[in-house]
Amino acid sequence: MTLARKSLTIGIASALALAGLGAVLAEGDGKSGGGSAVPIDASGSFEVSGVDVDVKGKDADAARYGGWRLAQRKGWEMLSRKLTGKASTMSDSALDSLVTGIVVEKEQIGPTRYIARLSVLFDRNKAGGILGVSVAVNQSPPMLIVPLEYSGGTGLVFERETAWARAWNRFKSGGSTVDYVRVQGNGPDSMLLNAGQVLRRGRNWWRSVLDQYGAADVLIAEVQLRREYPGGPIIGIFSATHGPDRQKIADFALRVDNGDSLDTLMDAGVQRLDKAYQQALALGQLGTDRLLATRPPGAKAEEKPSDEATEAATPTPEPSAAAGTAVSVQFDTPNVGSVNAGEAALRGIPGVRSAVTSSLALGGISVMRVSYDGQIASLHAQLEARGWSVQEGPGVLRIRRAGGGGGGAQPAPTPQATEAPNGG
């Protein structure tokens, strides 16, 4: 399982045309392994979004180059005003060393004109040092974010790709105080995280799921989409909850005027939910559930009698085969069928009293607890005789199937998500 603590697949757009300028990033629709996209920025850079430029040049490349230069200057002024209360300026060469990326939100390219809305990313440490502000970000424990979308009455998480999951993968969370654990949505993700899982409250199952992704708790971000007619206005009803009991953090509604603006609606919803989660964290409302953090007690080991008590007792009988030998067997489980097949193969060996999977890791290596009437070396030999490749350790066997592998452009209105009236 591959974890993604951040967001969207990015194409580097015409970077060679920008000699000396910060890396230029453009949004893409790339997919990886049928799952969600991968992150574009996990560095925690300062981001200044919504930088509008309208530049003319002798040709399209010159106009675009001038637009990016202008975006750097405007972005720095906006960042300094936000952090210090007053605008400051820097030379283009100095800004080149500060800018870590330019993300294209929307652009129109004409023969001699470039119109765009851009986001500019500035190196957090360098920019903070120049502006004299603190750059430290105290984050929450790792929180697994589950993007639940209801559309047409059907709830989806990773059963198939959704606009809501893509929006969370686009979101650049480096500056957020919430440490989001984001999932690509491929492999076993669609089985472990689905619309049915979010309704469960059992801590044991949630603990197993969270351990798979290295998270301490869960955040469920939900959106319900209501379309007035195909291609027409869309209303999104957003809800932020925390933990297996789905403690409500915030809810609100946003609206866009046409279906082409769905991504705009989703991005606005992600921004609002992130602010709500950050505020809840500051108020102490995102504490980890103590039942998730507490492991259930294991079985107590039987106390061994002292040497004196042993000598006074009756002579020890001959070892009985009824007790059996406990062996941990590690085996590959790429899917659910391989779990059942592995257990069946062990149970079919003479002398095996029981074979039960004690640690399940779909897409990885699971562990089976086997009770065997005999020595581990005998079990080793029987497995090899049945075509398994076996490695032996103290009380542990690792088995694999033998031979297996592992004119000018005119400005166009930018869609904006607006607050939906009560009652939607």
Side-chain angles (χ1 to χ4, degrees):
M1 180 216 65
T2 304
L3 292 183
R5 296 181 179 254
K6 13 44 349 56
S7 323
L8 172 263
T9 299
I10 294 300
I12 298 182
S14 305
L16 296 178
L18 246 193
L21 199 58
V24 180
L25 305 179
E27 297 181 1
D29 296 325
K31 302 175 184 177
S32 176
S36 302
V38 295
I40 65 173
D41 178 58
S43 64
S45 301
F46 284 125
E47 179 185 10
V48 180
S49 58
V51 181
D52 294 314
V53 296
D54 186 348
V55 178
K56 292 184 178 180
K58 63 180 181 180
D59 53 36
D61 287 339
R64 181 167 51 183
Y65 180 84
W68 288 339
R69 283 290 192 192
L70 178 60
Q72 289 189 164
R73 300 185 206 115
K74 294 178 68 173
W76 178 254
E77 290 180 4
M78 294 167 66
L79 178 65
S80 61
R81 186 178 294 109
K82 177 182 178 181
L83 297 180
T84 66
K86 58 182 180 180
S88 67
T89 59
M90 295 183 67
S91 65
D92 287 336
S93 58
L95 288 173
D96 288 346
S97 65
L98 292 178
V99 174
T100 60
I102 296 178
V103 180
V104 177
E105 298 179 13
K106 180 181 178 67
E107 68 177 1
Q108 299 176 66
I109 304 174
T112 59
R113 190 177 179 187
Y114 181 73
I115 304 171
R117 170 163 290 186
L118 309 171
S119 292
V120 186
L121 307 178
F122 295 94
D123 184 280
R124 177 177 289 270
N125 293 325
K126 292 181 180 179
I130 293 173
L131 297 175
V133 298
S134 173
V135 297
V137 178
N138 296 321
Q139 289 193 313
S140 70
M143 297 284 185
L144 178 66
I145 186 72
V146 180
L148 173 61
E149 175 184 316
Y150 282 97
S151 180
T154 302
L156 297 171
V157 181
F158 295 120
E159 293 87 335
R160 61 178 175 83
E161 190 178 45
T162 65
W164 188 222
R166 291 197 303 270
W168 275 102
N169 284 327
R170 281 195 299 272
F171 175 57
K172 294 180 286 296
S173 61
S176 176
T177 56
V178 180
D179 183 8
Y180 295 107
V181 178
R182 285 179 278 187
V183 180
Q184 291 188 7
N186 52 17
D189 299 338
S190 60
M191 183 168 60
L192 294 174
L193 297 175
N194 52 52
Q197 170 64 23
V198 300
L199 301 177
R200 291 178 172 149
R201 296 192 177 187
R203 267 50 175 187
N204 286 338
W205 178 253
W206 268 114
R207 189 185 300 112
S208 299
V209 172
L210 294 175
D211 286 347
Q212 292 285 332
Y213 298 101
D217 211 332
V218 60
L219 302 175
I220 299 173
E222 179 181 330
V223 61
Q224 297 183 32
L225 298 180
R226 298 180 180 177
R227 294 174 170 85
E228 295 188 8
Y229 52 86
I234 303 176
I235 295 175
I237 301 174
F238 298 87
S239 175
T241 59
H242 165 236
D245 290 332
R246 301 195 64 179
Q247 174 190 0
K248 181 166 288 189
I249 302 298
D251 54 8
F252 55 89
L254 298 175
R255 180 181 186 274
V256 289
D257 292 331
N258 60 78
D260 293 337
S261 302
L262 177 60
D263 285 346
T264 301
L265 176 71
M266 295 302 197
D267 290 339
V270 169
Q271 295 285 345
R272 286 279 297 272
L273 289 186
D274 173 59
K275 291 179 180 178
Y277 280 130
Q278 291 192 64
Q279 184 178 9
L281 177 64
L283 295 175
Q285 298 176 0
L286 292 190
T288 301
D289 190 319
R290 64 181 181 84
L291 294 179
L292 284 176
T294 303
R295 299 286 174 178
K300 293 184 178 179
E302 296 183 2
E303 295 184 1
K304 294 183 178 180
S306 62
D307 293 340
E308 292 79 2
T310 303
E311 292 176 359
T314 57
T316 304
E318 291 297 323
S320 172
T325 301
V327 182
S328 293
V329 178
Q330 300 177 355
F331 64 114
D332 297 320
T333 50
N335 51 49
V336 175
S338 63
V339 178
N340 299 330
E343 292 178 348
L346 266 293
R347 291 173 185 146
I349 295 177
V352 172
R353 303 174 64 86
S354 65
V356 178
T357 300
S358 58
S359 177
L360 177 63
L362 291 177
I365 300 174
S366 297
V367 179
M368 192 189 316
R369 195 68 175 172
V370 177
S371 178
Y372 177 65
D373 292 340
Q375 299 298 319
I376 189 172
S378 174
L379 180 60
H380 182 151
Q382 291 205 58
L383 285 167
E384 287 188 335
R386 284 164 171 76
W388 293 90
S389 173
V390 185
Q391 294 176 295
E392 181 177 340
V396 179
L397 295 179
R398 172 72 170 95
I399 64 173
R400 299 183 182 88
R401 276 297 180 189
Q410 296 301 318
T414 301
Q416 298 291 333
T418 59
E419 293 284 352
N422 292 335

